[in-house]
Amino acid sequence: MSAEPAPLPAHHVLILGGTTEARRLAEALAAAPSGRVTTSLAGRVASPVLPPGGTRVGGFGGVEGLAAWIVAHDVTHVVDATHPFAERMSFNAAGAAALTGVPLLALRRPGWTPRPGDDWTFVDSLDEAADRLPGLGSRAFLTTGRMGLHTFAHLTDTWFLVRSVDPPAAPAPPCLEVLLARGPFTLEDERELLARHRIDVVVTKDSGGSATAPKLTAAREAGIPVLVVRRPPVPQGVPEADSVDAVLDWLGTSR
Ligand code: NAP
């Protein structure tokens, strides 16, 4: 017979969200009897899937705004569960934790690593991806999100399949088809997508996780090169967890 986990001490956890992991953490904490959870979303997605527990939407107003919110709402713990490319918010969280003294943990899923048969080119930015793209293919599957699409707008000789949750805004490349979709995606669907659109290069951020990884397997199988944008730097000195369970352990032992 397995022992019941010890109940968490009283808490108000602020989750900086926008990821699958953030939602899973909110689900786990909302089921815990001894405290509160609030998930914060930036408000980029028009109809977000809201997690259980409290939610708030929109920026805080930088480090000071976030610190003020933490104090005003008696937050006991902050979990930075933002996307690995939400660089500014992670630094804001570190700054606000330093100002308030409230413990901060970063929930970061591991990045992807190439396997035998993969043809990946790592780049440091979307700008570098746009520079390298014409040398790799002419029909690109772009999965880097609608916000950075303007970076590719000058590529007039490349046809793009752009997949995003909400429609992208101009400026955008002239030859493109937009596919509105929200992960997770299956390997079967990704294979079919690459074949149907005669994709010959894939562009992705190193987001990690399983929800959007099947495109990488499909590209490997089809011998299609992938441009992978490396993750931005993270703030120094912030402890990290790579799973929801590890965050729950941390909540049970900190403070
Ligand atoms: P960012 O560049 O790091 O943040 C820009 C500003 O947006 C922040 O300074 C903050 O405004 C506000 N913000 C960001 N995340 C927030 C949150 N969870 N709650 C409240 N305000 C937030 O972030 P981003 O790259 O634009 O990403 C925005 C959101 O989309 C994040 O929550 C992230 O998890 C999610 N997301 C991002 C990507 C990506 O590729 N970047 C992909 C999937 C999901 P204030 O300074 O005013 O507080």
Side-chain angles (χ1 to χ4, degrees):
M1 209 170 78
S2 63
E4 283 292 313
L8 293 177
H11 57 261
H12 179 196
V13 181
L14 173 63
I15 301 173
L16 304 172
T19 57
T20 309
E21 290 75 14
R23 197 163 56 245
R24 290 206 187 116
L25 178 61
E27 285 163 2
L29 287 175
S34 54
R36 292 166 59 202
V37 57
T38 303
T39 299
S40 175
L41 300 171
R44 302 278 189 277
V45 175
S47 314
V49 181
L50 291 178
T55 52
R56 64 163 302 288
V57 179
F60 292 93
V63 173
E64 285 77 17
L66 177 55
W69 200 97
I70 288 169
V71 171
H73 294 83
D74 298 321
V75 170
T76 59
H77 302 79
V78 180
V79 179
D80 172 16
T82 55
H83 189 272
F85 282 78
E87 181 180 2
R88 196 171 343 148
M89 198 60 202
S90 291
F91 278 88
N92 285 0
L99 276 182
T100 59
V102 170
L104 167 69
L105 183 73
L107 171 55
R108 294 209 175 89
R109 55 196 182 207
W112 290 316
T113 43
R115 301 218 195 133
D118 279 324
D119 178 6
W120 292 8
T121 302
F122 281 95
V123 291
D124 286 325
S125 64
L126 287 179
D127 284 319
E128 195 184 341
D131 286 346
R132 303 288 294 270
L133 186 56
L136 290 172
S138 59
R139 294 184 64 84
F141 181 27
L142 194 64
T143 64
T144 46
R146 68 192 170 101
M147 304 304 278
L149 191 55
H150 59 88
T151 313
F152 299 87
H154 62 288
L155 296 180
T156 52
D157 293 334
T158 308
W159 181 87
F160 287 90
L161 176 65
V162 174
R163 182 164 67 191
S164 58
V165 175
D166 287 320
C175 307
L176 95 167
E177 183 171 326
V178 175
L179 177 61
L180 298 182
R182 199 193 300 255
F185 303 105
T186 67
L187 178 56
E188 201 182 352
D189 286 349
E190 300 294 55
R191 280 184 188 129
E192 194 274 332
L193 197 69
L194 297 186
R196 176 157 45 96
H197 292 284
R198 293 179 287 115
I199 298 298
D200 58 12
V201 57
V202 174
V203 188
T204 183
K205 292 175 176 173
D206 181 13
S207 300
S210 58
T212 59
K215 67 188 170 196
L216 302 171
T217 308
R220 182 191 319 130
E221 289 176 357
I224 295 172
V226 182
L227 266 170
V228 182
V229 183
R230 282 193 191 91
R231 294 182 173 194
V234 294
Q236 297 289 307
V238 177
E240 294 189 11
D242 64 1
S243 69
V244 168
D245 282 345
V247 177
L248 296 176
D249 286 348
W250 175 78
L251 288 170
T253 53
S254 64
R255 289 188 67 147

